[in-house]
Each structure stands twice: as C-alpha cells, then as structure tokens.
C-alpha cells in the first residue's frame, strides 16, 4: 500500500494530485503545521526535517515533492506523466520540477508573513513588497511558457504541471492575475481535470487563507 503523509492544501497536494492522475490506490495520514504532529519522533524517522509530503512506497519512504514526483514517474512510466532520461523534453521537465520549488519558497515566505504572523509580531512592508514582486516575476515566466500551449511542456500534460500547477492555488491570494491571461486559462484547465477535482473533494474547503486577497501594506 502507498501511504501519503499529508498536510491539507500544502505541497503534499502535488503528490495526492499525481497519485490521482495515475489512478493509484493510496492511504493518507494527515498532519497539521501547528499541532506538533510533524515533530513526532515516529514522523521524523520518515521525514527528518518534519515536513510534508513524505511518501511510503515500494518498501521505502521518500520526502521532498520533486523527488517523489520523479520517482513516481520513473517507476510508473506507463502513465506517461514523466519525461524520462533520453526523451526530448527531459531537461525542460526537470527544470519545471525545480522551478516549482523556487516559486513555492516565495509563497511560503508570504504565507508565513501574511497568514501565520500574529500581533504583536509584524511583517516588514518592505520585505513583503519585495516578495510579492518576486512572486509576480515568477508568474511572468509561466505566462511566457504557456504562450501557444495548454500545459508547461509542448507535448501535453505532465507531472511538471502537478508540481507547478499546485502553486497556482496560492498565487492569486498575493498577485493579481488580471495581466496574465495564459495563467488564468491554465488554472481553469487545471480545475477542469477530474483528478484535481478528486483532490479538492478529499481536501474539503480550504481554511488556511481567511481573505480572498492579501494586499501589501503601504511602506
Ligand atoms: N521542498 C519540500 C518542502 C516541504 C515543505 O516545506 N512542506 C511544508 C508544507 S507546504 C511543511 O511541511 N511545513 C511544515 C513546517 O514548516 O513546519 C518539498 O517540496 O517537499
């Protein structure tokens, strides 16, 4: 049995979505960032950094969503969701897996400052402005990549989309997507996928973001 160690609406959604796209059976063990469950020694033995996702599969445990994604694609090539060594889009595929984490690190920083910090702790408006500008710049890259194509790779949907597409759940809380029509159409295509809808049905309503949009306070 495959077991996904999961925090709802976190990066582990990437793996849940990929498992759904592959039609694999899996169990879910759920954690929360704030209740100490990620610091349980039994969990730290699986994911030493106390982060999610971790995936138990084929008699081993893997942490880090890009590594899990790559492993699933390599060991289950029949689903056609990876671009394996020697294939034409291999380099682009690997780049997008890593780029998803480059962008997610900015989202994580904004989540920390805009959502988790509670008074009297106060985020720096200067840092927030810089981080939002960095996130917007990272969206521009996706906008350009999607010019004339539906998915990140010209040949069609792949696990690059499950890695990076997940980020686009969070991005609209911080960046106005009005100037990014390709990205908005991409999000609509993601939302239309049955596997993505299955993930949302399992997750239930998100209660992480309390506002529709988090504007940067005036400097
Ligand atoms: N690079 C890792 C990042 C994993 C990560 O930081 N996950 C977050 C949830 S999105 C987490 O577990 N946070 C718990 C914490 O920071 O204590 C990956 O892509 O799997």
């Amino acid at each position: 049995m495959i077991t996904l160690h999961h925090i709802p609406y976190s990066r582990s959604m990437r793996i849940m979505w990929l498992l759904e796209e592959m039609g694999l059976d899996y169990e879910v063990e759920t954690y929360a960032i704030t209740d100490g469950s990620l610091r349980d020694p039994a969990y730290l033995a699986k994911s030493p950094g106390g982060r999610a996702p971790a995936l138990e599969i084929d008699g081993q445990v893997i942490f880090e969503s890009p590594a899990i994604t790559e492993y699933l694609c390599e060991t289950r090539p029949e689903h056609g969701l990876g671009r394996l060594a020697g294939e034409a889009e291999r380099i682009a595929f690997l780049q997008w897996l890593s780029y998803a984490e480059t962008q997610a690190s900015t989202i994580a920083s904004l989540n920390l400052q805009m959502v988790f910090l509670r008074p009297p702790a106060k985020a720096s408006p200067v840092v927030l402005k810089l981080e939002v500008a960095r996130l917007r710049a990272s969206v521009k890259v996706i906008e350009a990549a999607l010019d004339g194509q539906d998915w990140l790779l010209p040949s069609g949907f792949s696990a690059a989309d499950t890695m990076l597409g997940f980020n686009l759940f969070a991005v609209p809380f911080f960046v106005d997507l009005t100037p990014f029509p390709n990205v908005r159409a991409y999000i609509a295509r993601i939302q239309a996928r049955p596997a993505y809808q299955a993930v949302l049905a399992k997750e239930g309503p998100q209660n992480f973001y309390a506002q529709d949009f988090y504007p940067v306070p005036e400097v």
Side-chain angles (χ1 to χ4, degrees):
M1 178 47 82
I2 298 173
T3 303
L4 173 64
H5 297 271
H6 175 60
I7 302 170
Y9 286 96
S10 81
R11 286 164 170 110
S12 48
M13 259 177 101
R14 292 167 169 162
I15 307 306
M16 188 181 275
W17 181 14
L18 184 54
L19 291 167
E20 292 285 342
E21 292 282 355
M22 291 183 163
L24 300 176
D25 286 332
Y26 61 97
E27 289 172 347
V28 178
E29 286 197 18
T30 303
Y31 301 78
I33 291 181
T34 48
D35 69 358
S37 52
L38 294 166
R39 302 287 170 264
D40 187 308
Y43 186 62
L44 291 175
K46 299 182 201 300
S47 179
R51 305 288 184 107
L55 191 73
E56 292 186 62
I57 185 167
D58 302 338
Q60 59 202 335
V61 192
I62 316 172
F63 53 90
E64 288 291 327
S65 60
I68 297 169
T69 295
E70 179 60 16
Y71 180 83
L72 282 170
C73 291
E74 279 181 18
T75 57
R76 275 91 179 152
E78 63 276 17
H79 301 286
L81 292 174
R83 300 296 182 269
L84 307 181
E87 291 185 358
E89 293 172 332
R90 173 68 171 173
I91 300 291
F93 177 73
L94 292 177
Q95 281 177 179
W96 285 123
L97 297 195
S98 287
Y99 189 76
E101 269 305 275
T102 296
Q103 186 180 57
S105 66
T106 307
I107 295 169
S109 166
L110 287 166
N111 285 342
L112 184 69
Q113 297 176 78
M114 299 266 217
V115 183
F116 280 111
L117 278 193
R118 293 276 179 269
K122 211 164 164 241
S124 153
V126 176
V127 174
L128 287 177
K129 204 171 170 185
L130 282 170
E131 292 287 47
V132 169
R134 279 152 58 84
L135 188 57
R136 191 179 298 107
S138 75
V139 174
K140 274 189 195 162
V141 174
I142 304 171
E143 178 73 14
L146 291 170
D147 217 21
Q149 62 194 56
D150 283 354
W151 304 104
L152 289 172
L153 300 178
S155 63
F157 185 81
S158 75
D161 299 296
T162 54
M163 274 295 295
L164 190 99
F166 155 74
N167 295 357
L168 295 170
F169 170 78
V171 165
F173 289 96
F174 303 116
V175 173
D176 176 11
L177 293 182
T178 306
F180 301 111
N182 294 341
V183 173
R184 285 189 280 112
Y186 179 60
I187 292 173
R189 281 191 286 277
I190 287 171
Q191 289 172 344
R193 293 189 76 82
Y196 188 79
Q197 290 168 3
V199 170
L200 292 186
K202 284 186 177 163
E203 296 287 68
Q206 75 86 20
N207 53 19
F208 183 73
Y209 297 108
Q211 311 171 194
D212 291 341
F213 189 74
Y214 287 80
V216 176
E218 288 304 316
V219 178

